[in-house]
Amino acid sequence: MADAVLSSDPPARRIITRPNAVRRFFQRKSTIAFLMALPLIILIFGLVIYPAFYAVYLSTLRKSMTSVAWMRNCAWLPDVICTYLPFGNMQFLFTRETFWKVVYQSCLFAITAVIFKALLGFILAHFVHNIPAKGQRKWRGMLLIPWVIPPAMSTLAWLWLFDPSYSAFNYVLTGAGFDRIPWTGDANWARFAVILVNIWVGAPFFMIMYLAALKSVPDQLYEAAAIDGANWWQRIWYVTLPMMRNIIAITALFSTIVTFANFDIVRVLTAGGPLDQTHLFATWAFKLGIEGGDIPLGASVSLFMVPILAVAAIFILRDINQRGNEA
Amino acid sequence: MTAATVTSNKGAPSRKTAYGSMSRDRTWALRWSYFFLVIFAAFFLLPPIYMFITSLKTSAEISAATNPWWVYNPTLANYAELLTKPEYLVFFRNSVVVSTFVVTITMLISIPAAFALSRMRFWGSATLATGVFLTYLVPDTLLFIPLFKMFAVFHEVTGIQLLNRWWVLLVVYPTLTVPFCTWIMIGYFASIPKELDEAAIIDGASWFQTLTRIFIPVALPGIIAATIFAFTVSWAQFLYPLAFTTSVDQLVLPVGIITTLIRGDVFAWGQIMTGALLGALPPLIIYAFLMDYYIAGLTAGATKG
């Protein structure tokens, strides 16, 4: 009897207290915070992280078109393994000549473009920093315009400037007595053209970042260097560069990621031609995956970007954490 | 040589230089700076100017063997033709609608999230902040193929067709805009003094009120910078609409101009340049009026952290 009373009591209390507990749970700071960040979490997991892993899964699938080539590649293995080999797409890619061209072109494109963008940005930032403060805003505004125009639109203008028969550049060249240049028709000139356009689009970003960094270098350091008799080169090497080291690194790493994963410029300017000589991973993946309909193969191609992107991302993260600790 | 003049006005002259040469040095440094700035500005402004020159030409003049750098018979025919072309107006409308919605969605997601991540800690919030930044580094070129396949599978399972509908862009564009906007908003919110929101909490404001009454007004410059960024990204995005939409009435401006105005090997260059120029105008106009916010947003991504 007493037992029954005792045992019936707690559930009754629990029923009464539950609404309060629920309400208290929803009024807790961390719960509110989690709910506010929930859309972000869903977006990141559903549309970035899940697709990234889905790409890995897709790359292990096969399309009937390539499966014959797979079989040829792994014929020396037992049938059971060969039929279900998960990395057949990659293996197939390694045997393709175009794939190695794409690797070469992507590396050449990214390295050359980033170096020249950084150099041009550094020099331009100095010029802008050099003129009276009153005029800086105007020049800075003018020099950032390539970055503001959508790249697909500005590349169209470049395509028209490079046009083989009515080319504005070739008009100037023939006028000066030189031969016409097949800007997008010859492999090396086409490589030059896509890199040039990429530099044109990206250099203003470097300029803005470096200009901000230049302005944060205290003038006293230059005065001290001048008193010590440092020449211009020593001032850049021992004062400017060490002070800007972090910004230079972060900007270059950012740009490496964006340049390596570039799509718009190559797609519009050469579409990978002539003879697949200017394809980057992204444009080739598009051609194989979306236009060619071989999604597994396209996914495999785009996954080859991951190692370089990951290395750059790790370095960026390290730099940003360091800066966070210093501050 | 040029770099020598660059830095020579940085401070006092070096010891060897005679006293009084400083102003002369500085004048020369200035002249060289302007000289090279003019050259670089010409290089940087060449394509947009050439777009404008070509947009004023007739097709006959474009294919004639005259000087391509000069307009002999300026005409606005390209503009008139393009702006009365129904398909171009559809592209323009699609771009405006998509960009507006994406900016709204981005702000609705990233402002509360940034507030939660910078002020209200919860389990895993620090990891999530780093994750947001890493997500920003994942390029669109890595995700378009799995997303394409996901949408195809989604269609098979639910019967809802996402591919070749303009509103699929509303789903995918936030993956490009939200991480960066959240990241710079975290920076802006973290720079607001703690006393401000403590005072609000003591006065009895809820978290939501603290956000709308204190944080949003105080961090307004940051919000404007993020809005501009979201708009520019969604206006300029080329890969996703190229991969996910194909019908003429579903295209946005950049893809529309490139796929419909180029027919086979026939390039209507006058119209293409006009279309490209008009397509580049909205970001340029915003940039012209809100340049300082634009630049603040640009540098915030790497300097705030």
Side-chain angles (χ1 to χ4, degrees), chain A residues 196-210:
Chain A
L196 180 78
V197 176
N198 192 280
I199 294 171
W200 179 84
V201 172
F205 173 68
F206 278 82
M207 180 203 66
I208 288 294
M209 300 298 289
Y210 291 171

Side-chain angles (χ1 to χ4, degrees), chain A residues 14-30:
Chain A
R14 210 180 297 144
I15 287 166
I16 293 165
T17 52
R18 187 172 289 153
N20 279 337
V22 168
R23 199 181 298 151
R24 217 179 303 135
F25 176 73
F26 276 104
Q27 279 170 345
R28 251 168 43 194
K29 190 174 136 188
S30 57

Side-chain angles (χ1 to χ4, degrees), chain B residues 23 43 47 53 58 107 126 149 183 193 211 227 246 253 263 272 301:
Chain B
S23 64
F43 169 58
I53 290 177
T58 58
M107 288 302 126
K149 185 71 184 169
W183 177 249
L211 174 62
T227 311
T246 43
L253 205 55
R263 289 219 169 76
I272 293 174

Side-chain angles (χ1 to χ4, degrees), chain B residues 222-242:
Chain B
I223 292 174
I224 295 175
T227 311
I228 295 173
F229 171 84
F231 176 81
T232 347
V233 165
S234 46
W235 188 271
Q237 176 59 26
F238 179 63
L239 172 59
Y240 283 161
L242 189 67

